[in-house]
Amino acid sequence: MKKLKMYLIFFLMIAFVVASAFVIDDDQPVKIVVPSNFPAPVYNLEKNKITQKGVELGRQLFYDGLLSIDGSTSCGSCHQQVSAFVQQDHDFSHGVENRIGRRNALPLANLIFSKSFFWDGGVFNLDLTPVNAIENEVEMGENLDHVLKKLNASLLYKARFKATYGVDSITTNLFLKSISQFLATMVSANSRYDKYVRKEGEVLNADELEGLNIFKDKCSTCHSSDLFTDGSFRNNGSTADFRFDKGRHEITLADADIGKFKVPSLRNVEFTGPYMHDGSLQSLEEVLEHYNSGMKASASLDPVFKKRDKPGISLDGNEKRKLVAFLKTLTDQEFLTNKKLSEF
């Protein structure tokens, strides 16, 4: 009996040391700096005060497979920093037990500026975005109640939530807000393009500047502002077969929304392929040729693509080359290599 007690005390001491190793002493607020070329955030930062402890706790949760049914899949499994937080080289997301989803993972960046999330816009609050993945049977295959039970059974997380929020019990609200604190820090705004428009000493070459002008003329209706998305939902003709995925219609049930998907941001687009909601296009060159000649007509095809006899946007070879040159200026190497965003 004494031996059993000694083992128990030893185990608790080890668990305490492990948990303490992850406790962040710095409880200072983290200021989210809004870039001068960005609009105001949509997410209410006053309702979720960002602290260093909260960000680090959210980061730990983001990369922890404990959120999935079998421990194999974390948020970071489908959102990998090296590829601008998409699932590298996957047409469709791969989740627990190597189950395959039906959509390509969207990149994560500048989320506090977004009004809706996911390809169909089914979530309208950043705090609720993890629930979608956790409870999706082919992604994490879990349920939120069970995740909370696992967290509350973890000495490590009990210690971390105590240190961060002063609570003895981990609640759904604090769990979700912790992940949002980490996501809120994912601001990508230091590409060559950003430094050029903010007059921070960056110079674009002739092809890049001409590509920017072509972009403004032919692409900025959908990919507007320096977020490079208007946040709308459009049918861009990537497919005319909506039997297995009706896009926005699955949320609104409006026939006009069949085949509409969210306009993704083009930031770091050099690294976020394959492209489109179904990962059907492998390169930027293929994407531009799609808009030039590969669109598939359907009833809900966006009017912006119906301005000529053939659906699409007229782009010759020279224009496509210069557009690719410009799009690569949207790569934010600091964001892609920021250790504060990486897995521990």
Side-chain angles (χ1 to χ4, degrees), residues 12-24 154-160 163:
L12 290 173
M13 288 176 65
I14 293 295
F16 176 78
V17 170
V18 172
S20 299
F22 286 99
V23 174
I24 308 300
S154 164
L155 291 174
L156 184 151
Y157 279 115
K158 291 277 280 189
R160 294 208 66 176

Side-chain angles (χ1 to χ4, degrees), residues 92-337:
F92 298 106
S93 296
H94 286 210
V96 293
E97 298 178 351
N98 204 33
R99 297 173 191 167
I100 301 175
R102 59 184 182 138
R103 291 176 183 165
N104 190 9
L106 276 167
L108 302 183
N110 304 325
L111 299 170
I112 59 173
F113 302 96
S114 183
K115 296 179 181 178
S116 63
F117 303 91
F118 303 105
W119 283 107
D120 56 21
V123 175
F124 294 90
N125 187 314
L126 181 62
D127 293 347
L128 300 178
T129 54
V131 181
N132 188 80
I134 289 169
E135 299 200 335
N136 186 301
E137 63 180 13
V138 300
E139 293 183 29
M140 291 182 164
E142 256 290 12
N143 68 74
L144 193 55
D145 287 342
H146 192 236
V147 169
L148 265 291
K149 287 179 181 177
K150 290 192 289 186
L151 291 172
N152 276 295
S154 164
L155 291 174
L156 184 151
Y157 279 115
K158 291 277 280 189
R160 294 208 66 176
F161 274 87
K162 177 75 171 179
T164 303
Y165 299 109
V167 297
D168 294 315
S169 179
I170 302 169
T171 65
T172 300
N173 181 50
L174 292 179
F175 163 64
L176 294 175
K177 284 192 170 181
S178 295
I179 297 178
S180 287
Q181 289 203 32
F182 175 61
L183 296 177
T185 67
M186 289 185 173
V187 176
S188 178
N190 283 312
S191 66
R192 289 182 56 230
Y193 166 82
D194 293 300
K195 294 172 182 177
Y196 166 75
V197 297
R198 293 196 299 253
K199 297 180 171 55
E200 295 174 359
E202 185 65 50
V203 177
L204 302 188
N205 65 37
D207 279 356
E208 292 164 346
L209 285 172
E210 288 183 45
L212 171 57
N213 289 329
I214 296 166
F215 181 88
K216 288 178 178 178
D217 182 41
K218 299 190 176 186
C219 310
S220 62
T221 299
C222 304
H223 298 284
S224 61
S225 83
D226 278 358
L227 294 176
F228 290 93
T229 175
D230 63 355
S232 66
F233 301 87
R234 300 174 187 257
N235 176 351
N236 71 349
S238 62
T239 182
D241 182 358
F242 309 118
R243 290 173 297 166
F244 307 109
D245 192 347
K246 291 181 169 57
R248 182 70 173 159
H249 173 272
E250 296 179 5
I251 304 302
T252 67
L253 301 182
D255 287 347
D257 286 336
I258 293 175
K260 291 185 179 180
F261 295 89
K262 187 172 185 179
V263 175
S265 172
L266 298 181
R267 286 189 164 273
N268 300 301
V269 70
E270 178 183 3
F271 291 94
T272 59
Y275 305 97
M276 306 301 174
H277 72 279
D278 56 1
S280 57
L281 301 177
Q282 301 300 310
S283 68
L284 291 176
E285 288 78 8
E286 285 184 32
V287 170
L288 294 179
E289 187 52 38
H290 160 75
Y291 284 111
N292 179 54
S293 67
M295 282 197 175
K296 299 172 179 65
S298 62
S300 61
L301 183 68
D302 198 276
V304 75
F305 303 122
K306 298 178 180 179
K307 296 180 179 179
R308 59 176 188 166
D309 293 338
K310 183 178 182 180
I313 301 170
S314 178
L315 294 168
D316 63 32
N318 206 33
E319 288 175 317
K320 286 184 285 185
R321 179 178 61 80
K322 291 175 179 178
L323 272 172
V324 169
F326 165 68
L327 290 172
K328 289 183 177 181
T329 72
L330 303 182
T331 296
D332 182 351
Q333 288 292 346
E334 294 175 39
F335 180 74
L336 298 177
T337 58

